[in-house]
Amino acid sequence: MPDFDVIVLGAGAAGMMAGIEAGKRGRKVLVVDHARDPGEKIRISGGGRCNFTNVNATHTFGRERFLGQNPRFALSALSRYTPEMFIARVKKQGIAYHEKTLGQLFCDGPATQIVSMLINDLRAAGASIWTGRAVGSIEKTTDGFDVMIGDGRVTASSLVVATGGKSIPKMGATGLAYQIARQFGLAVTDTRPALVPLTFEPGALEQLKPLAGVSTNAVVGHGKTRFEEALLFTHRGLSGPAILQISSYWRDGDAISVDLLPGEDALELFRAARKTTPKLHLQTVLSDRLPRRLAQLVGELIDQPGMIGDLSDKKLMAAAEQVSNWRLKPVGSEGYRTAEVTLGGIDTTGLDAKTMVAREVPGLFFVGEAVDVTGWLGGYNFQWAWASGWAAGQAA
Ligand code: FDA
């Protein structure tokens, strides 16, 4: 007889959800993690307030807020376990929350409330939680799986791999899921850091550095993809939600565009200023709209020191282009050290979208960030973790 019905590797968002749901079905569940405490990423998420879902996660399939080789793969799980279902849990628990912006729901209080809720639910479902245990070799047996945990062997008929991606190794990210996938013949797509600040070569950085700490609302673009959110200048380059979002689309060698006056026609603004305030400098016109230090830098880049009244249409057009289509070429990103998620992962062609089971390996499930499904910033990644964990929990 196996020791357990289900072993879940990883006590993060997806693993705890899978364990809870399998336990509720009467399955004997073990959740294992090498970290000391479950749900460490939930604890630090959303600046400590956990942006636990996004109300738009199931209403925007066409907009492809989930990236991966097959963005439609996520739809089945996302439509079966919806944001409303997670919100209902949060409400039942009496956890206060609010919508911050763009459908993003955050706890009013500490994110640890979400962690406690999940641990309590796991216990209520009768699951065992083993933390601080290393996961060793995994073997397939006729009955299921034989897993080395610490220095003992544990068996189960189902194995749910929920060990996440590579982001933030300091917090215990290992890439174990990819290793297990390869062991059982599943493909793994290329992985790269995503939702991550972008970095610049020393020359460009020198120019941007004086702006460190400055934040402004901007539209940041890459190809046809655009995000209007806050842009933050840092000592290392560019960050803030708009940059984190575009980082999931940006590839080495590409440029990004920045529109510093979202929703405004910069040329119209300059032409109007030329008429009404001809004695002003461009930089002064801009400083009405932009933080002072940023207006100064953009003024330098435009390099039209004279009064606006003396500038030709051609010069105003060039200035408007600098403001509304500022081209910047990142050299890289801050990498997995600070990336919120990993783009790529276990190839979804090897998984069943309804249950997350490996098509060729009965009883083996992959959920959460380990899978090649990456959401936008704003609660989409937790919703994927909850939904994929829930899906596996119904079948494991
Ligand atoms: P997760 O990484 O959460 O869990 C994996 C678990 O497996 C960990 O507990 C780890 O210790 C364990 N593990 C790994 N290797 C192991 C091994 N070899 N042996 C045993 N155990 C192992 N998303 C969002 O929607 N809203 C938000 O507000 C945020 N905020 C945010 C902030 C920061 C700083 C980061 C880094 C990330 C976010 N995210 C987020 C992303 C979100 O945290 C992420 O998508 C989910 O945590 C993924 O859940 P998983 O359960 O798949 O992996």
Side-chain angles (χ1 to χ4, degrees):
M1 276 288 282
D3 303 315
F4 291 92
D5 296 319
V6 183
I7 297 175
V8 180
L9 303 181
M16 286 199 275
M17 183 60 103
I20 292 165
E21 291 303 317
K24 282 206 257 177
R25 288 172 42 239
R27 304 282 276 162
K28 192 177 172 201
V29 175
L30 168 66
V31 181
V32 188
D33 204 294
H34 66 169
R36 205 188 54 191
D37 298 306
E40 278 295 272
K41 274 200 189 155
I42 303 173
R43 185 179 60 79
I44 62 152
S45 66
R49 291 280 184 263
C50 187
N51 176 193
F52 55 82
T53 193
N54 191 299
V55 295
N56 298 318
T58 41
H59 304 304
T60 51
F61 295 152
R63 303 280 305 278
E64 290 181 0
R65 293 178 181 205
F66 292 89
L67 289 76
Q69 278 191 354
N70 175 10
R72 300 195 67 78
F73 174 82
L75 307 190
S76 167
L78 288 166
S79 59
R80 290 204 305 143
Y81 190 79
T82 61
E84 290 71 27
M85 289 160 87
F86 193 79
I87 295 165
R89 276 181 196 236
V90 168
K91 274 189 181 155
K92 192 169 160 215
Q93 199 64 30
I95 299 173
Y97 66 92
H98 60 280
E99 179 176 337
K100 198 169 168 190
T101 172
L102 304 168
Q104 303 168 3
L105 301 190
F106 283 76
C107 296
D108 290 355
T112 45
Q113 296 171 102
I114 301 286
V115 182
S116 304
M117 173 181 83
L118 295 169
I119 294 175
N120 290 340
D121 286 353
L122 265 179
R123 294 209 173 106
S128 305
I129 311 171
W130 294 359
T131 53
R133 312 275 181 108
V135 176
S137 63
I138 298 169
E139 278 161 35
K140 180 93 182 79
T141 61
T142 43
D143 288 343
F145 298 87
D146 184 323
V147 185
M148 192 76 187
I149 297 171
D151 31 3
R153 289 213 156 268
V154 184
T155 56
S157 49
S158 294
L159 181 65
V160 180
V161 182
T163 49
K166 294 189 198 170
S167 37
I168 325 247
K170 243 190 182 166
M171 295 193 68
T174 58
L176 174 67
Y178 313 137
Q179 199 182 306
I180 299 173
R182 289 192 182 104
Q183 178 188 339
F184 288 98
L186 280 91
V188 178
T189 67
D190 289 344
T191 55
R192 58 184 288 130
L195 300 183
V196 63
L198 296 174
T199 55
F200 291 84
E201 50 89 13
L205 196 57
E206 242 1 85
Q207 203 170 42
L208 298 176
K209 254 186 188 166
L211 298 182
V214 169
S215 171
T216 190
N217 196 44
V219 175
V220 176
H222 174 270
K224 288 193 176 130
T225 309
R226 298 263 176 288
F227 291 100
E228 181 178 342
E229 284 198 64
L231 164 74
L232 173 70
F233 294 84
T234 74
H235 284 106
R236 286 189 285 269
L238 293 179
S239 187
I243 292 294
L244 300 190
Q245 295 280 36
I246 214 70
S247 73
S248 299
Y249 296 83
W250 176 81
R251 292 294 176 271
D252 297 325
D254 292 353
I256 57 169
S257 64
V258 176
D259 179 355
L260 293 168
L261 295 178
E264 263 196 282
D265 184 331
L267 183 58
E268 281 311 304
L269 173 77
F270 293 156
R271 279 182 177 149
R274 186 170 57 185
K275 244 190 225 158
T276 54
T277 52
K279 294 213 162 103
L280 290 186
H281 292 253
L282 258 174
Q283 192 175 311
T284 319
V285 174
L286 281 173
S287 57
D288 264 0
R289 297 284 203 287
L290 300 176
R292 189 183 47 79
R293 274 187 284 161
L294 179 57
Q296 196 176 330
L297 173 72
V298 175
E300 284 164 18
L301 293 173
I302 291 172
D303 196 24
Q304 293 296 342
M307 292 184 293
I308 196 162
D310 295 336
L311 299 181
S312 65
D313 242 27
K314 198 173 161 203
K315 284 181 176 167
L316 288 191
M317 273 152 88
E321 178 73 2
Q322 176 66 49
V323 173
S324 54
N325 189 21
W326 185 8
R327 311 286 297 174
L328 287 150
K329 208 164 178 187
V331 281
S333 78
E334 288 187 8
Y336 291 116
R337 189 178 61 80
T338 61
E340 287 201 8
V341 289
T342 304
L343 198 66
I346 288 140
D347 191 331
T348 54
T349 52
L351 301 177
D352 174 62
K354 191 170 174 208
T355 61
M356 310 302 295
V357 74
R359 291 184 190 280
E360 304 293 331
V361 193
L364 180 63
F365 298 76
F366 290 90
V367 295
E369 194 182 321
V371 178
D372 177 23
V373 172
T374 305
W376 278 7
L377 185 81
Y380 292 97
N381 286 297
F382 276 138
Q383 188 56 36
W384 166 245
W386 314 134
S388 57
W390 186 90
Q394 309 308 311

